[in-house]
Amino acid sequence: MIGKLRAILPDLTPLRVVRDFRLLWFESFVMGFAASMALIAMPLQIKELTGSPVAVGLIGAVELVPLLVFGLYGGALADAVDRRKIILFTEAGFGVLAVALLVNSLLPQPLLWPLYLIAGLVSALSGLQQPALQSLIARIVPHDRLTAASALTFISSQCASVGGPALAGVVVAFAGTPSAYALTVAAFPVAIPLCLKLAPAPPARETRRPSLRDVVEGVRYAGSRPLLIGTYAVDVAAMLFAYPVAVFPFLAEEVGAPWALGLMYGAIPLGAMIVSVTSGWAGRTRRHGRMVVLGAVGWCLAMTAAGLTSHIWLILVFLTLAGAGDMISGLGRNTIWDQTVPDELRGRLAGLEVLSYTCGPQLGMVRAGTMAGLTGIRPAIWGGGAAGVVAVGLLALALPRLMTYDAATDEDALARKAQKEAMPTGDG
């Protein structure tokens, strides 16, 4: 029995042996919980101020351009300067913006435009921070434990994403949005000291000012690898067509269950967390490309089903299944990136990675909000899910390298493993 449990439970080795990964894991949990509180409170506040699904979906459009610009620049920056400094700078910026959200919510008549401005600035800081975070983890964790590290990172974020929305729904319902923002602000005195304890993480190449040439070099490398392009394309397609989170407040009202809004937001990360805590099998998988495709199809099918039913508990079940599919796809995607990208390009490729898994949801929010305004809430959900199934299927046919990827024989994965074994792991 114990052996069977060990086979499915996540591998805790990265937490035990890599000090900086431990620090990043706990910091990610604290900030993930805080961020999810704010991310739920903001659309609810916009809904209260406007009553418009289009206005809520517009958050995605506002966040898109800063994410594109700063995600690419953040990738080049992560390859040129100390990644620890980037993480500290951006965390401080997030703290200032959280205070601004709190102050605006305490006004006698909260303003709408600061919400969009802050959403754009948060997106810009995320674009700067995420490549540094992801490339740092890929550097400090041993090569054969990268899938385990991805699973543990997802566990941290998904636990926060389950608890944060559920708590945010209760807090906003009974104490208003200022209380949710106040809890977000309270997390920073805990998270920033954890970042200060991280060891310096200087660049792997000779330091120089990040430039457009560096960004282009990263894009060219990704463009020369159909495997990487496939993982990006599948993720963007699934999120573009089947990410209806922006219309959840309106769906909850339509099915007569406004009390379940927090549960709806928490159901997707709950499904992801279930996969994460039973992810022991993933470390023994070699066909990560198939995980990417099949998980994305599962996400889209579950969203289609959620849009076709009017029973709130069935909707929650299907949203949970969608989260499970997304996590399977995400584990495969992260493993391929971490196994095949050389360290000197890791920051820039992490910038493209950030764009792929965040631009899709931003565009999906715009699509869902716009389509809901034209066709209604339910068609915007099930129609997008069905379109996502078709899009992912066509991409799988067009990119056979993705379906045939094998970590044990892929040339880039083997070269990266040799490079990683020649570097310090940051154990201790």
Side-chain angles (χ1 to χ4, degrees):
M1 177 65 71
I2 294 177
K4 291 181 178 179
L5 284 175
R6 286 177 177 173
I8 63 171
L9 292 177
D11 180 1
L12 301 180
T13 303
L15 280 176
R16 291 200 306 267
V17 304
V18 186
R19 171 186 174 274
D20 279 5
F21 180 75
R22 236 179 358 256
L23 292 171
L24 288 173
W25 192 89
F26 285 108
E27 190 273 343
S28 174
F29 177 79
V30 172
M31 289 313 304
F33 200 97
S36 63
M37 292 284 293
L39 290 174
I40 298 307
M42 287 179 69
L44 285 175
Q45 189 174 20
I46 293 174
K47 177 181 177 291
E48 292 172 357
L49 293 174
T50 67
S52 167
V54 176
V56 176
L58 187 59
I59 294 179
V62 170
E63 293 174 335
L64 183 58
V65 173
L67 189 62
L68 286 169
V69 174
F70 287 93
L72 290 172
Y73 180 73
L77 195 66
D79 282 335
V81 302
D82 191 320
R83 292 163 185 172
R84 174 180 176 271
K85 292 180 180 179
I86 299 173
I87 294 169
L88 282 169
F89 169 79
T90 51
E91 285 296 348
F94 286 136
V96 171
L97 295 177
V99 172
L101 281 172
L102 176 59
V103 171
N104 181 63
S105 69
L106 292 172
L107 295 176
Q109 182 60 44
L111 301 173
L112 180 61
W113 67 263
L115 297 177
Y116 290 116
L117 175 62
I118 291 171
L121 292 174
V122 166
S123 183
L125 288 174
S126 295
L128 290 175
Q129 184 188 79
Q130 288 303 314
L133 274 173
Q134 304 229 355
S135 57
L136 180 56
I137 290 174
R139 171 187 287 189
I140 63 178
V141 174
H143 184 86
D144 59 351
R145 300 295 180 180
L146 287 171
T147 302
S150 291
L152 290 170
T153 300
F154 282 131
I155 288 173
S156 173
S157 63
Q158 301 306 336
C159 283
S161 296
V162 171
L167 180 58
V170 174
V171 169
V172 171
F174 291 97
T177 52
S179 297
Y181 293 140
L183 289 174
T184 300
V185 172
F188 286 91
V190 178
I192 290 179
L194 292 174
C195 294
L196 288 170
K197 294 180 180 180
L198 292 171
R205 60 182 172 85
E206 183 181 351
T207 302
R208 68 171 184 263
R209 191 186 189 95
S211 65
L212 180 61
R213 182 179 65 179
D214 295 323
V215 174
V216 171
E217 183 181 359
V219 172
R220 283 178 177 170
Y221 179 87
S224 69
R225 300 299 191 275
L227 176 66
L228 294 179
I229 292 297
T231 64
Y232 298 149
V234 166
D235 185 50
V236 170
M239 296 297 112
L240 168 62
F241 290 109
Y243 191 80
V245 174
V247 300
F248 277 5
F250 302 91
L251 177 62
E253 284 190 359
E254 187 170 302
V255 299
W259 53 269
L261 179 59
L263 296 177
M264 291 171 65
Y265 281 119
I268 294 174
L270 175 62
M273 184 175 66
I274 291 171
V275 171
S276 296
V277 299
T278 57
S279 62
W281 59 271
R284 299 183 295 276
T285 299
R286 292 163 34 186
R287 304 284 189 172
H288 301 104
R290 295 178 185 179
M291 290 174 61
V292 173
V293 172
L294 295 177
V297 169
W299 162 272
C300 295
L301 285 173
M303 283 300 181
T304 303
L308 290 172
T309 183
S310 59
H311 299 285
I312 183 58
W313 291 109
L314 282 178
I315 290 173
L316 292 173
V317 168
F318 288 130
L319 293 179
T320 303
L321 291 174
D326 186 46
M327 177 53 58
I328 291 171
S329 184
L331 279 174
R333 189 169 58 248
N334 275 24
T335 301
I336 288 173
W337 287 333
D338 289 342
Q339 284 182 341
T340 62
V341 176
D343 190 66
E344 62 270 16
L345 289 168
R346 182 63 255 186
R348 280 162 285 178
L349 269 294
L352 294 175
E353 184 179 328
V354 168
L355 295 185
S356 80
Y357 72 71
T358 52
C359 284
Q362 307 310 325
L363 292 170
M365 290 176 67
V366 176
R367 181 211 61 83
T370 302
M371 189 172 174
L374 296 173
T375 67
I377 303 300
R378 305 286 288 286
I381 299 173
W382 67 257
V389 172
V390 174
V392 172
L394 291 174
L395 285 169
L397 291 174
L399 297 163
R401 176 77 184 279
L402 186 61
M403 297 297 288
T404 59
Y405 174 81
D406 187 333
T409 59
D410 184 85
E411 291 182 3
D412 287 331
L414 293 175
R416 170 63 179 142
K417 182 177 182 180
Q419 180 191 45
K420 187 69 174 291
E421 288 174 348
M423 294 171 56
T425 63
D427 294 3

